[in-house]
Amino acid sequence: MNDQAANDSVGSIRAGDLIGRPAYGRGGNRLGTIADLIVDGDIRTGLRVTGVVVARRPWGRLLGYEREQATGPWLLQALARVVMHRRVRTIRWDELDHAG
Amino acid sequence: MRVFLGFDLLDRQILDSEGLPVGNVDDIELAVGEDGVLSVTALLVGAQVWGTRLGGRLGDTIAGMAARMQRRTPAGPIRIPIDQVRETGAAVTLAISRDLLVEPELETWLREHVIVRIPGASADPEADKS
């Protein structure tokens, strides 16, 4: 196992390199800042990046309330939905311009 | 299963198969597959990775200090392949023992220079008397 403490594999990228970067649509239009990466699948078959959470502002994350399974005080949920409707969007990975 | 990498994995504590702490998820390695899709390949642990992710002057300082403390070769973060993860939740639980992983340099340094000087810190009570 110790040999697996090696450098990053060739051709890899870190999630931290993507989060916080600007996101652009296929048409070159700026969508906002990448606030999070969405992956689907499971550990055995592979976790594949299928989308990103894009925020108009760097702090537009709102405590993870954009997740469908989010629970919490109803007032906070309602407030988060109103604010997120304007500031946070989920974009499919294939809708992004990957050139950058 | 849908996972938000930043919310559900980054900065979560990592526990080994026996529930012992390993560290935190300081960053996540992604790789482009043959079909061009990015997939999660490993969890990365270490102050150097965390400093790089933090960015700015503070992050650069932390990453630089961590890099100078590195003694093992090849240098780099502790890399835990994603297939060694058993489950994710409030913490990330591994399917393996932490003995199979490399110990973070900061913890090694703290143990050798700070913890060892604290009376009673040794696992062997007889060793503290001498």
Side-chain angles (χ1 to χ4, degrees):
Chain A
M1 192 68 197
N2 286 358
D3 60 336
Q4 287 172 332
N7 287 322
D8 301 12
S9 56
V10 176
S12 65
I13 188 170
R14 293 180 185 176
D17 293 334
L18 293 175
I19 294 172
R21 278 173 69 167
Y24 294 92
R26 287 280 186 191
N29 52 317
R30 184 174 169 142
L31 303 170
T33 303
I34 297 177
D36 210 337
L37 300 171
I38 302 169
V39 298
D40 284 300
D42 63 54
I43 291 163
R44 284 185 302 278
T45 58
L47 293 169
R48 295 154 64 91
V49 178
T50 55
V52 294
V53 176
V54 172
R56 296 247 175 102
R57 298 179 185 176
W59 41 268
R61 195 56 220 285
L62 281 173
L63 309 173
Y65 271 94
E66 68 279 5
R67 301 176 308 149
E68 290 170 9
Q69 67 269 38
T71 56
W74 66 267
L75 184 60
L76 203 52
Q77 284 189 50
L79 179 66
R81 287 207 180 92
V82 170
V83 176
M84 277 188 329
H85 182 67
R86 288 178 296 186
R87 293 186 182 156
V88 180
R89 280 191 293 167
T90 300
I91 310 288
R92 285 207 327 266
W93 186 252
D94 57 14
E95 290 177 333
L96 294 173
D97 175 16
H98 299 158
Chain B
M1 179 177 73
R2 170 159 283 196
V3 176
F4 288 72
L5 290 188
F7 192 84
D8 295 319
L9 278 180
L10 278 179
D11 297 318
R12 297 272 171 171
Q13 187 180 31
I14 302 173
L15 304 174
D16 78 350
S17 54
E18 290 155 26
L20 298 170
V22 173
N24 288 346
V25 181
D26 292 315
D27 213 334
I28 299 165
E29 183 189 275
L30 308 166
V32 183
E34 292 178 358
D35 53 1
V37 177
L38 271 179
S39 296
V40 177
T41 50
L43 307 180
L44 304 175
V45 182
Q48 193 176 350
V49 186
W50 183 72
T52 304
R53 180 161 67 89
L54 189 64
R57 194 174 292 178
L58 177 62
D60 291 345
T61 304
I62 293 169
M65 285 174 63
R68 281 194 293 277
M69 289 171 72
Q70 288 234 329
R71 288 181 287 185
R72 67 169 181 271
T73 52
I78 296 172
R79 186 176 175 279
I80 303 172
I82 194 66
D83 57 9
Q84 302 291 349
V85 173
R86 190 167 68 200
E87 62 179 340
T88 61
V92 176
T93 307
L94 304 181
I96 56 172
S97 166
R98 68 176 183 178
D99 295 339
L100 298 171
L101 298 168
V102 179
E103 187 176 45
E105 259 83 5
L106 179 62
E107 296 196 12
T108 307
W109 188 90
L110 285 172
R111 190 181 66 247
E112 292 177 356
H113 294 86
V114 180
I115 306 295
V116 75
R117 297 175 195 273
I118 300 173
S122 170
D124 179 9
E126 293 301 315
D128 285 325
K129 292 176 185 171
S130 58

